[in-house]
Amino acid sequence: MDKKKILKEIEKLREEINYHNYRYYILDSPVISDTEYDRLFKRLLELEEKFPFSLTPDSPTQRIGAKPLEEFKTAAHTIPMLSLNNANKTDEAREFDERVKRFLETDKDIEYVAEPKMDGLAIELIYANGIFTAGSTRGDGYTGEDVTLNLRTIKSIPLRLIPPAPSRLEVRGEVFIPIKSFERLNREREDKGEPPFANPRNAAAGSLRQLDSRITAARPLDIYCYGVGVIEGAKFKTHWDILHALKGWGLKVNPLIKICKGIEEVIQYHEDMEKRRDELPYELDGVVVKVNSLTLQDSLGILTRSPRWAAAYKFKARQETTQVKDIIVGVGRTGALTPVAILSPVEVGGVTVERATLHNQDEVDRKDVRIGDWVVVQRAGDVIPEVVMVIKDKRSGKERPFKLPDRCPLCGAAVVKEGAIHRCTGGLSCPAQLKEGIRHFASKRAMNIEGFGDRHIEQFVEKGVIKDIADLYSIKKEYIIELERWADKSAENFLNQIEKSKNTTLPRLIYALGIRQVGEHISKVLSENFNSLDELMEASYDRLMEIHEIGPETAESIVTFFKEGHNREVIEKLKKAGVKTEGQGARACPELVSGGKPAPASSKQGGQENQKFKDKQFVLTGTLSEFNREQAKELIENLGGRVASAVSKKTDYVIAGAEPGSKYDKAKELGVKILNEEEFKDLISRK
Ligand code: IVH
């Protein structure tokens, strides 16, 4: 092939790929598919390999990293990279504005540019005639480290600018890691037994300052450009114009930058950004305010190492260090035991934090949090404060490790481990689970006690009228009418409802008990296999496992539930109160027992008519955002489907949430249909 022709094709491919990189990484709006992109890329790689003379450092293929360096060379900045003075409060932002005005001898509003202050590390990129030639860290402001090879691997740094580019451009920006990528990176590090990064800033710095640029290439780094050093071949009047020119040359500039007329608009911008902080995919630690006019910037000049024309107007810090005084155990509505760190009070992001969740025992072990440890605590928006890491250097040796108890601290029932969660099996009598338990017990598809809402449940539990679900059947009218908002008539109606609920069916009663893993469908299956609640209570694990639709987790959960003394007492009380616990009741209400046959389509009660998942087998994997596993299971079972724990040829659908496990791969291998959460929701809501 003729050399000229090859070079032409190579150049065309590079231009095309550069353009698609720009659409994808800068504009976030790709115009071709990944496969198409891969095809172009592969073709370019092939040609470059075959004709090495064609290779240039600005080729899009040159982003994969190169041989490790012995050390970084130093790189001097032509114009020093300054730092910023901080304003931490509104008053300090106003003082900054007053200083600017005083210096400029004006009382007119100053035009500012307000920009998000990224929390990463500052770098400089040098473009000669539009080609990326060198890049360095800020270092001490005068000289930094030459990290050209590493910067080259960041996809959102163009290797060529969009013409017409200036003859020389020194552009400054912040390299950062988006929060999601940071979390993923830390998970991967932990899997490999490597220490996690404390925050996205450290992760960005650690990733960029790698002697082996192939490591940097594998890290999800990104950049926003916010200023310039030397520019030759282009003239500007304002900072805003510079930022727009950078954008035009294909560099990434934060779209949230804004012109503010006067400091009050900057204060408003700061407030807006602080509110939006948790929605943004990257970490911000404040906003930067800059005088827009370059002439005014010149007049203001520099005071030691910071310009007088700019300031960092910081947000409240969200991470602080403090000491763990104790670790206590919280019990949630579903019986989950949560270790909670009791802290020496510390102000985090404007709020005094005295306790922080440690999530579960696995987390305590992973982070190795001990009573007496010094820890970093974090508050992200409305999220409950959490312990990020232990400062192990501060240990004295007197710290005490922590283990969750094997009995519930509230009701004394046995605690079992379900995955990462330790759960109280007290169910019916655990005070923490009481309100939720009653709500479920009384719900339409369970005991169907009408007119008994959350408000009443709160009232009854708080006033101590009900201590377990069986107490519902011994409430006296005189207790009720003493409570607020109850009258003679309403109390009477309520008691009638309670009375009526005694004549229930076995599947409803089993379902009402709120046994974990036992939804409506499994309740029906159980009532088809046992004649009474008593029989079910005595069923062994093996007996339960003989039932077609009962898996090991469900069998285990049923056995544990009925073994718990408190639960047996409550059931005894229910029986004494006259609640029907025999199967005949069930048979009297055919719509709630399938008896192996589908429920009649005309059936009205309990919404059992829709059995569209009948004979369909589902497997769940990963984390769904809108349901927990149990809710998803129940939804499927309510529509007649079954949830299995492993993927096989018999599986009809695998529902894959975030971070699916090996079941996902297995489904792919077997060609089983995989639905994401949206598709799953679609399937449920379709008629
Ligand atoms: S301007 C003279 N703008 O904050 C102007 N800095 O000390 C110097 N930073 O590490 C910087 N976002 O990298 C500027 N929009 C932004 C910024 C920003 C983050 C960092 C900067 C440096 C520190 C300033």
Side-chain angles (χ1 to χ4, degrees):
M1 236 203 292
D2 135 28
K3 199 167 157 183
K4 233 174 157 180
K5 237 170 137 188
I6 295 162
L7 285 176
K8 213 168 150 201
E9 181 179 354
I10 289 181
E11 186 48 28
K12 192 165 159 276
L13 278 166
R14 286 182 185 158
E15 265 173 26
E16 260 185 275
I17 294 171
N18 277 338
Y19 174 70
H20 293 303
N21 278 345
Y22 173 68
R23 298 288 318 195
Y24 189 91
Y25 293 107
I26 312 285
L27 301 184
D28 199 10
S29 133
V31 282
I32 56 166
S33 69
D34 289 359
T35 339
E36 183 67 6
Y37 178 88
D38 290 346
R39 197 187 57 75
L40 293 174
F41 203 87
K42 227 172 110 202
R43 175 73 185 144
L44 178 58
L45 274 176
E46 262 167 31
L47 289 178
E48 285 181 346
E49 203 175 313
K50 233 163 137 186
F51 309 105
F53 63 84
S54 70
L55 205 62
T56 57
D58 65 322
S59 168
T61 57
Q62 299 305 296
R63 290 187 182 274
I64 39 179
K67 274 216 308 273
L69 301 174
E70 291 281 316
E71 57 173 9
F72 290 120
K73 291 208 187 83
T74 51
H77 305 296
T78 328
I79 297 179
M81 289 180 77
L82 303 173
S83 59
L84 293 169
N85 281 321
N86 285 343
N88 293 317
K89 302 211 167 70
T90 318
D91 283 355
E92 292 172 7
R94 291 204 179 99
E95 278 164 25
F96 159 76
D97 177 59
E98 274 156 26
R99 268 198 310 275
V100 168
K101 285 179 174 165
R102 215 178 312 126
F103 207 91
L104 297 174
E105 294 175 350
T106 178
D107 50 12
K108 290 209 190 82
D109 273 349
I110 303 288
E111 186 172 272
Y112 292 111
V113 176
E115 303 170 11
K117 185 171 184 302
M118 309 300 302
D119 199 8
L121 87 156
I123 55 90
E124 178 169 68
L125 309 170
I126 297 175
Y127 289 88
N129 294 318
I131 306 292
F132 174 62
T133 52
S136 53
T137 59
R138 174 174 177 270
D140 63 4
Y142 301 99
T143 35
E145 285 169 330
D146 178 346
V147 286
T148 312
L149 293 177
N150 303 32
L151 288 167
R152 198 184 274 295
T153 67
I154 301 177
K155 306 286 199 311
S156 46
I157 294 182
L159 299 179
R160 278 184 207 184
L161 298 180
I162 298 173
S167 49
R168 183 176 176 88
L169 172 69
E170 297 176 1
V171 59
R172 278 99 189 256
E174 193 86 348
V175 166
F176 63 95
I177 281 191
I179 296 167
K180 281 245 155 65
S181 311
F182 160 72
E183 288 166 352
R184 195 179 329 122
L185 176 63
N186 264 355
R187 274 199 303 275
E188 286 167 10
R189 285 175 73 81
E190 282 169 35
D191 286 348
K192 284 191 259 167
E194 294 169 7
F197 289 112
N199 52 47
R201 186 189 46 240
N202 289 4
S207 301
L208 192 64
R209 297 186 61 255
Q210 286 284 342
L211 289 169
D212 187 346
S213 51
R214 288 168 301 194
I215 298 180
T216 313
R219 300 279 169 85
L221 294 170
D222 204 343
I223 190 171
Y224 275 127
C225 297
Y226 56 66
V228 292
V230 169
I231 309 188
E232 282 165 10
K235 284 252 166 305
F236 298 97
K237 285 209 164 79
T238 63
H239 177 63
W240 184 257
D241 289 347
I242 292 180
L243 294 178
H244 276 81
L246 295 180
K247 238 162 70 178
W249 291 323
L251 290 153
K252 204 165 165 181
V253 174
N254 196 315
L256 300 173
I257 55 170
K258 188 173 184 270
I259 290 198
C260 295
K261 303 253 188 302
I263 198 69
E264 294 310 315
E265 280 190 30
V266 175
I267 291 168
Q268 186 58 50
Y269 176 86
H270 177 272
E271 204 174 290
D272 293 346
M273 285 296 145
E274 193 156 17
K275 274 195 202 124
R276 290 180 64 176
R277 195 178 184 186
D278 296 310
E279 297 162 22
L280 296 174
Y282 42 76
E283 196 68 60
L284 291 190
D285 61 349
V287 303
V288 179
V289 46
K290 298 172 184 170
V291 169
N292 192 20
S293 153
L294 299 184
T295 321
L296 294 185
Q297 282 189 7
D298 266 351
S299 320
L300 284 156
I302 293 160
L303 182 71
T304 54
R305 299 190 58 191
S306 320
R308 280 200 197 83
W309 45 265
Y313 183 6
K314 301 286 274 282
F315 294 151
K316 296 179 195 102
R318 299 200 293 185
Q319 279 196 348
E320 292 295 343
T321 48
T322 186
Q323 199 173 17
V324 177
K325 293 198 295 192
D326 196 3
I327 298 178
I328 60 162
V329 182
V331 187
R333 283 186 330 152
T334 59
L337 265 57
T338 310
V340 179
I342 303 296
L343 308 166
S344 298
V346 59
E347 201 186 288
V348 188
V351 174
T352 304
V353 170
E354 288 175 272
R355 40 177 73 203
T357 178
L358 291 163
H359 301 290
N360 54 51
Q361 184 70 50
D362 288 356
E363 283 278 298
V364 175
D365 296 344
R366 192 174 62 76
K367 292 178 182 158
D368 189 16
V369 185
R370 304 179 188 181
I371 299 166
D373 264 338
W374 281 86
V375 291
V376 175
V377 285
Q378 166 171 295
R379 209 176 60 85
D382 291 327
V383 180
I384 314 159
E386 60 172 355
V387 169
V388 182
M389 61 182 279
V390 173
I391 307 169
K392 293 198 175 140
D393 289 350
K394 278 203 169 191
R395 277 194 176 153
S396 67
K398 289 196 186 126
E399 294 74 16
R400 282 179 293 129
F402 169 84
K403 280 274 168 279
L404 279 172
D406 50 15
R407 293 259 145 204
C408 172
L410 291 181
C411 71
V415 168
V416 292
K417 193 161 189 252
E418 285 175 12
I421 308 288
H422 281 72
R423 210 180 285 282
C424 160
T425 54
L428 297 181
S429 53
C430 179
Q433 299 169 67
L434 188 56
K435 283 183 199 166
E436 183 60 21
I438 298 171
R439 195 196 55 71
H440 175 76
F441 184 80
S443 66
K444 202 168 161 57
R445 302 163 90 110
M447 301 301 273
N448 194 20
I449 303 173
E450 275 175 41
F452 190 41
D454 287 352
R455 197 163 52 95
H456 302 125
I457 298 174
E458 294 268 327
Q459 204 180 25
F460 282 14
V461 172
E462 247 122 69
K463 296 278 177 215
V465 180
I466 306 183
K467 295 205 176 57
D468 62 49
I469 52 171
D471 284 345
L472 270 174
Y473 294 97
S474 53
I475 300 181
K476 300 267 179 316
K477 190 167 151 191
E478 43 283 23
Y479 293 161
I480 307 179
I481 47 180
E482 265 177 31
L483 298 173
E484 242 176 84
R485 290 190 298 257
W486 284 93
D488 214 56
K489 187 79 194 141
S490 56
E492 212 159 277
N493 285 345
F494 172 66
L495 289 175
N496 284 341
Q497 281 295 325
I498 298 268
E499 193 55 33
K500 208 175 90 190
S501 75
K502 289 181 185 171
N503 188 24
T504 188
T505 66
L506 187 55
R508 274 177 179 272
L509 178 62
I510 297 171
Y511 175 58
L513 295 176
I515 307 166
R516 297 197 68 76
Q517 316 279 348
V518 179
E520 263 183 295
H521 177 71
I522 294 294
S523 302
K524 270 189 286 167
V525 171
L526 289 169
S527 64
E528 284 157 18
N529 284 276
F530 299 94
N531 290 317
S532 66
L533 193 59
D534 282 337
E535 255 186 42
L536 175 62
M537 280 168 77
E538 302 317 319
S540 67
Y541 175 85
D542 292 342
R543 166 73 188 91
L544 289 163
M545 283 298 285
E546 280 167 16
I547 302 168
H548 171 54
E549 296 189 59
I550 310 274
E553 272 178 43
T554 312
E556 183 71 52
S557 166
I558 296 169
V559 171
T560 317
F561 182 89
F562 289 120
K563 218 164 58 193
E564 184 53 54
H566 287 285
N567 294 343
R568 296 182 83 92
E569 277 166 30
V570 172
I571 291 169
E572 207 43 49
K573 266 166 85 177
L574 287 174
K575 282 205 286 194
K576 279 217 177 95
V579 174
K580 213 174 217 167
T581 58
E582 305 284 322
Q584 298 95 298
R587 259 150 234 145
C589 271
E591 76 276 10
L592 279 175
V593 226
S594 62
K597 287 180 244 96
S602 59
S603 156
K604 296 245 161 40
Q605 197 173 339
Q608 292 298 302
E609 61 273 22
N610 196 341
Q611 292 284 304
K612 65 179 173 188
F613 291 167
K614 190 175 158 1
D615 296 330
K616 293 272 181 278
Q617 198 196 79
F618 290 71
V619 170
L620 303 167
T621 178
T623 316
L624 298 172
S625 66
E626 286 186 32
F627 331 86
N628 61 30
R629 203 160 265 244
E630 199 140 313
Q631 288 164 331
K633 188 166 179 239
E634 212 162 307
L635 276 169
I636 293 167
E637 288 177 354
N638 284 344
L639 293 166
R642 280 197 293 132
V643 176
S645 52
V647 180
S648 71
K649 277 196 219 127
K650 282 195 238 148
T651 312
D652 294 285
Y653 297 102
V654 166
I655 314 298
E659 293 169 57
S662 58
K663 293 176 194 169
Y664 181 89
D665 302 326
K666 180 86 185 178
K668 273 201 142 167
E669 194 186 308
L670 296 177
V672 173
K673 193 158 177 54
I674 302 175
L675 303 179
N676 64 24
E677 185 162 355
E678 276 310 303
E679 291 163 331
F680 174 50
K681 280 185 350 204
D682 243 28
L683 189 71
I684 296 172
S685 52
R686 246 182 273 145
K687 280 259 164 179

